[in-house]
């Protein structure tokens, strides 16, 4: 299963998480995932991809 979210450097030491399906910055709880430190962005993108994989697996079992 392909990862839905990826990192993109906005500026040196400033990262964004983008939705690879749409090319747009990802949002969580009404917050756009831009301007993040490298460490924060790496941690968050892993969490977001794990959550997305779990959602898709549940949907496949139901469908």
């Amino acid at each position: 299963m392909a990862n839905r979210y990826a990192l993109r450097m906005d500026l040196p030491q400033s990262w964004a998480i983008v939705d690879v399906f749409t090319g747009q910055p990802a949002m969580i709880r009404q917050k756009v995932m831009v301007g993040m430190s490298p460490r924060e962005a790496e941690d968050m993108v892993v969490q977001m991809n794990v959550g997305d994989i779990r959602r898709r697996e549940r949907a496949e079992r139901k469908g």
Side-chain angles (χ1 to χ4, degrees), residues 15-54:
W15 292 82
I17 299 174
V18 295
D19 183 326
V20 297
F21 298 147
T22 66
Q24 299 297 313
M27 289 186 67
I28 294 184
R29 296 182 202 115
Q30 306 296 323
K31 181 180 177 192
V32 180
M33 299 285 101
V34 297
M36 303 170 75
S37 72
R39 174 84 174 184
E40 178 185 26
E42 288 172 5
D43 291 346
M44 184 62 73
V45 79
V46 169
Q47 292 176 30
M48 291 173 70
N49 280 319
V50 167
D52 181 63
I53 288 168
R54 288 181 181 155

